[in-house]
Amino acid sequence: MPDTYGLDCPVARTLDVIGERWSVLLLRDLFLQGPRKFQDFESSLSGISPNTLSARLKRLEEGGIIERRFYAEHPPRAEYVLTAKGRELGPIMKALRAWGERHTRK
């Protein structure tokens, strides 16, 4: 993982894994809807480019937050699922949602 902030700080290290634009929304989809295919993410995040989506999924996979599972089809197809490490982010995601509901209503 890159050391974007150059700080020996757990918050900075966490942001190196999940802090890029779109990453938290990918996690949101996985928490709310379970395993997702690439196309599922494209549908729910209409503003993300395929290259950016691919890069964010790869970064989350490298960080051990998600894993790509292949299933039997031809051509091979994959879905993305949260790992045990990724599922530990559940309380944080709930807190972000609750904060947003309280403080960002339009």
Side-chain angles (χ1 to χ4, degrees), residues 53-65:
L53 174 56
S54 182
R56 296 307 179 265
L57 290 169
K58 183 177 180 180
R59 174 69 63 89
L60 291 170
E61 192 174 6
E62 288 171 351
I65 305 301

Side-chain angles (χ1 to χ4, degrees), residues 32 34 41 44-45 48-49 54 61 63 67-68 70 72-73 83 87 93 95 99:
L32 292 176
F41 290 121
S44 70
L45 302 172
I48 193 170
S49 73
S54 182
E61 192 174 6
E67 68 181 9
R68 186 171 38 161
F70 290 94
E73 253 189 45
T83 63
R87 287 189 300 275
M93 297 299 292
W99 188 92

Side-chain angles (χ1 to χ4, degrees), residues 15-89:
L15 288 175
D16 280 336
V17 179
I18 66 166
E20 290 183 309
R21 185 172 184 206
W22 300 107
S23 295
V24 171
L25 295 176
L26 294 171
L27 294 173
R28 175 206 63 190
D29 284 4
L30 288 166
F31 275 105
L32 292 176
Q33 301 173 357
R36 310 296 288 153
K37 298 179 187 84
F38 192 91
Q39 301 89 318
D40 297 331
F41 290 121
E42 285 182 309
S43 295
S44 70
L45 302 172
S46 60
I48 193 170
S49 73
N51 287 343
T52 299
L53 174 56
S54 182
R56 296 307 179 265
L57 290 169
K58 183 177 180 180
R59 174 69 63 89
L60 291 170
E61 192 174 6
E62 288 171 351
I65 305 301
I66 65 172
E67 68 181 9
R68 186 171 38 161
R69 283 194 207 153
F70 290 94
Y71 53 94
E73 253 189 45
H74 191 72
R77 304 267 180 189
E79 64 183 5
Y80 296 88
V81 297
L82 290 163
T83 63
K85 183 176 173 180
R87 287 189 300 275
E88 287 185 33
L89 291 166

Side-chain angles (χ1 to χ4, degrees), residues 90-102:
I92 295 164
M93 297 299 292
K94 286 180 183 176
L96 284 170
R97 180 184 177 120
W99 188 92
E101 286 173 347
R102 283 193 308 274

